[in-house]
Amino acid sequence: MLNESFRDCKAIGGWMGAEAALEAAGVPADAPGVVLGDDGTTTLEEVGALLAAHRLRERFANGIMRCVPPRAV
């Protein structure tokens, strides 16, 4: 789920050891739109601000990869 959210250019937030989950999913912790905080409240505030953009297209601005549109269900 983390990898799919990352490829779909969605904001991702975590705290208290979330780095391990990101690493296991192959998501760089320092990528645009990835927020790692010390507590849930602060992290949620930062992720909430990013959600206004819906997608973080600058994550793949270098042209290596485009944001992938959501799959049809």
Side-chain angles (χ1 to χ4, degrees), residues 14-44:
W15 63 97
M16 293 183 65
E19 295 89 351
L22 292 171
E23 184 177 335
V27 175
D30 61 347
V34 176
V35 177
L36 294 173
D38 294 326
D39 62 80
T41 302
T42 304
T43 304
L44 181 59

Side-chain angles (χ1 to χ4, degrees), residues 3-10 54-55 57 60 65-73:
N3 187 282
E4 185 174 333
S5 295
F6 182 76
R7 288 184 300 109
D8 286 345
C9 298
K10 302 293 186 177
H54 184 62
R55 292 189 191 271
R57 299 194 185 281
F60 301 115
M65 184 177 194
R66 294 186 323 241
C67 293
V68 178
R71 294 186 186 111
V73 178

